Each structure stands twice: as C-alpha cells, then as structure tokens.
Amino acid sequence: MADHTEGSKGHDFNSIQELLRLDRSGALAGCLALFLVLLPLAGLVLPAEAAPQHRTDGPSGSASDGARLVNTSSEADVPTADLEQIATRMLRMVNDDRSSPSALTETKGDARPLQWDPQLAAVARGHSEEMAATGVFSHRGADGSLPMNRVSRAGIHWLATGENIAKAGSVAQAETLFMAEPKFQPNHRGNILDRNYNRVGIGIARAADGSLYITQEFAEIP
C-alpha cells in the first residue's frame, strides 16, 4: 500500500495496465495483465485506493486506469453547463500532444488527430459523474464494471479501448501530469499517444469540493 496525501499542492497518482488480445476471428489468443505502480514523480504521491487500467485489444476489450490529482484552478468554479466546453478544450490538448514533435519518437508521426465520439463521451461522462457523486476514484464502476464493459454496453464496436481517469483542479493540470509520465510505457501517456486509437470521448464532473473528475475514453473503431 502506498502513502496517500492530498491538498492544494499535493497530487496522488498511479496506473495499472490490463491488456487482452484476441485474434482476427475473435478467438481468445492470449491474456496478459500488467500491474504497474509508478514511483512518485515531480511531487506525485501514489494513492492507496487508486485502481487503474490501460489498453485492451480485441473485438471486445481494452482499458486503462488513471491518476488522482488535487490542485486549485478556476475551472473548479465553472458552471456545470460549461463542463462540455472544458472537455472540448481537453480534446484539443490531447490532439496537440499526439502531434507534438516531442512525441515523434513514440508516435513515428502516425498518431493522427482523434475524432470526438459522442457515445464514448457519454460513457466517460457517466463514469466521471459516478466518481464525483460517490468519491470513489477507480476504473471499476459501482456495478463492478470495467472500462471495456461500459464501452461495449454502450453499443460501441471496438478493436481496442483504453481509459484515463484523473481528479484535478483543471484539465490542463491533468493532461500535463499524464504527459509527464515516462515514455514507451503502458501508462496514461501511452494511451494518449497510441497510434491505433482513432476515437475519443471525454467526460467531466465536478465534486462537492469543487474538484474535477475527468475520464478519457479512447477507442480504435473500424
């Protein structure tokens, strides 16, 4: 169990990747679960309760877990109606990161801009709203569902899907910390830069304390 601290200047962060692979006929070819705990980085402290997940490949499977980040920001005070505008702002950040020259060694220039997917956004928003209401920061839903389950339940036919989650004061803070992770690793940065993903949906909810719960749902959709 890792130490847990919170506060206006403290950040909690951790990530686990679960990977499922299926062959083209849909038969299960193999299953690999990687549990990664990132060491404290740039003031980040591992949360005791965070349970992240990462990319899954196959006709029905992929997911990633996220970070708990705590900070102050003017975005914590925006009206609920404007949260969709903030999600759109984060989409631009994600696509800017995918096209950044600093990511070329990882993307090989092949990470094309992600298209906004309303169904993925609805899945992401629902999970963020649940976390904000319950205070439970996890990829696993209250009903026991994992990200891949929620995406499939929404009727989305995907080849791979991944999820990043964060609790932060602003989307800029969350995205910056995601991208500050080590390169070439199955982490939040890896989800954002994955060359195979072509769709994304982002959902944001505000908790009673003003902090933002952020969910990014990625998918490779034929």
Side-chain angles (χ1 to χ4, degrees), residues 3-222:
D3 293 335
H4 178 142
T5 60
E6 293 185 347
S8 62
K9 295 184 180 179
H11 309 293
D12 297 343
F13 189 83
N14 105 335
S15 179
I16 294 173
Q17 178 169 16
E18 182 178 0
L19 175 64
L20 301 177
R21 297 193 177 188
L22 293 91
D23 62 20
R24 294 182 183 275
S25 66
L28 182 62
C31 177
L32 175 64
L34 302 177
F35 296 91
L36 307 178
V37 179
L38 304 182
L39 295 176
L41 175 67
L44 305 181
V45 180
L46 298 175
E49 73 275 27
Q53 287 187 329
H54 196 81
R55 176 185 173 91
T56 307
D57 295 326
S60 56
S62 159
S64 164
D65 197 50
R68 169 171 294 199
L69 323 170
V70 181
N71 198 359
T72 57
S73 167
S74 59
E75 283 183 1
D77 302 321
V78 300
T80 301
D82 292 336
L83 292 178
E84 290 189 11
Q85 295 181 18
I86 296 176
T88 301
R89 185 185 311 165
M90 193 173 214
L91 170 65
R92 292 195 295 269
M93 295 177 187
V94 168
N95 281 331
D96 285 347
D97 286 332
R98 287 172 66 85
S99 63
S100 172
S102 64
L104 280 176
T105 56
E106 297 160 272
T107 65
K108 309 300 183 185
D110 294 333
R112 304 183 68 82
L114 297 174
Q115 296 181 35
W116 182 264
D117 189 288
Q119 288 179 289
L120 286 173
V123 173
R125 184 167 54 252
H127 190 57
S128 289
E129 289 174 349
E130 179 181 284
M131 290 191 294
T134 63
V136 177
F137 181 78
S138 173
H139 288 289
R140 189 175 293 277
D143 61 356
S145 64
L146 293 174
M148 67 183 76
N149 305 134
R150 295 189 290 273
V151 172
S152 295
R153 195 162 56 198
I156 300 169
H157 301 287
W158 50 272
L159 299 177
T161 184
E163 177 179 275
N164 287 347
I165 60 175
K167 180 184 179 184
S170 71
V171 293
Q173 180 202 22
E175 187 71 11
T176 297
L177 290 173
F178 285 160
M179 294 303 295
E181 293 182 350
K183 297 181 178 181
F184 303 106
Q185 298 295 323
N187 50 26
H188 305 89
R189 180 186 177 98
N191 268 349
I192 291 168
L193 299 181
D194 193 307
R195 292 176 286 173
N196 294 313
Y197 289 145
N198 53 17
R199 301 285 196 281
V200 69
I202 299 170
I204 302 172
R206 188 171 61 248
D209 64 0
S211 58
L212 301 179
Y213 280 85
I214 301 164
T215 303
Q216 298 174 335
E217 298 287 354
F218 303 91
E220 179 185 0
I221 297 177

